[in-house]
Structures are given as C-alpha cells and as structure tokens.
Amino acid sequence: QVQLVESGGGLVQAGGSLRLSCVASGRSFSSYTIGWFRQAPGKEREFVARIGWSGGTSYNTVSARGRFTISRDNAKNTVYLQMNSLKPEDTAVYYCAADSRVTLLNPQYWGQGTQVTVSS
C-alpha cells in the first residue's frame, strides 16, 4: 500500500513559479513510477509528467512544454514538480499518482490533490 500526500499548491500570478511536492509512505517507493496529473474545472484529468525508478522522465509536451520539471528524492520519498512561467490555463487540481509498473496508464495509487490557481 502506498499513500501519497501533495503540497505546494496555491495562488500565483501568471509568469510565476510553484513547486509541488508529493510525499509517499509505504515500502518500495524507490521502485515506483510516480507522476503528476491535473484536472481543470469541467475538463478531464490529464497527464502532466512522470518519473521512473531510475530517473527517466516523460512529459505531456503540450501542457508541460519546457516549463515543468519533474524530479525525485528517493531518500525523502518525495517527488517534485517544478512549474515555471505559469499561465492561467495551468489552473487545476494537481494530483500525484504512483504505480509499480513502468507506465501510468491506470495508476494504482492517487493522492488527494492540491489546488493551483494562476491569475492573469
């Protein structure tokens, strides 16, 4: 069992930055693929980025497009999402997800989410 707790969301002006954190509890964290998804009001949840156990990363090029960076610190059981040059369209609830498999097509575990609001 893995529990995920997100933090770092908040209100920021367009062009600003935020760093989201996802702290995981449970065993074998370092072997899990961890990722970030987001869901804006009235829209479906979408993939943002993921990072594998070895540090390999994958991004949604449309939404992330060089502005977001995912990283992990296995010693702290934490995954980060650094978001720069934020836009109002980045406003959403951001969710952390984890899976023991390589992909995050259907994550086994989800966090509760953290709200990110970008004002224009």
Side-chain angles (χ1 to χ4, degrees):
Q1 188 75 12
V2 174
Q3 293 183 326
L4 305 170
V5 179
E6 304 97 331
S7 63
L11 174 64
V12 65
Q13 289 188 332
S17 299
L18 284 174
R19 188 176 79 158
L20 306 183
S21 299
C22 172
V23 179
S25 62
R27 59 183 181 180
S28 303
F29 168 81
S30 61
S31 66
Y32 277 70
T33 297
I34 310 291
W36 289 94
F37 292 75
R38 69 184 186 184
Q39 187 167 20
K43 296 187 177 181
E44 293 186 353
R45 189 175 296 183
E46 68 171 356
F47 167 76
V48 176
R50 64 175 169 89
I51 185 166
W53 65 270
S54 63
T57 59
S58 177
Y59 294 91
N60 179 330
T61 56
V62 174
S63 59
R65 197 168 287 175
R67 300 183 297 126
F68 295 177
T69 303
I70 190 170
S71 61
R72 68 190 297 163
D73 185 340
N74 289 335
K76 296 181 178 180
N77 279 15
T78 302
V79 169
Y80 304 98
L81 184 68
Q82 178 67 44
M83 305 187 296
N84 299 326
S85 302
L86 284 163
K87 305 174 182 179
E89 51 263 44
D90 294 317
T91 295
V93 178
Y94 284 71
Y95 297 91
C96 180
D99 202 304
S100 59
R101 296 163 292 189
V102 174
T103 64
L104 284 176
L105 293 177
N106 188 20
Q108 295 168 306
Y109 305 103
W110 291 91
Q112 294 298 309
T114 185
Q115 176 71 46
V116 171
T117 303
V118 184
S119 63
S120 58

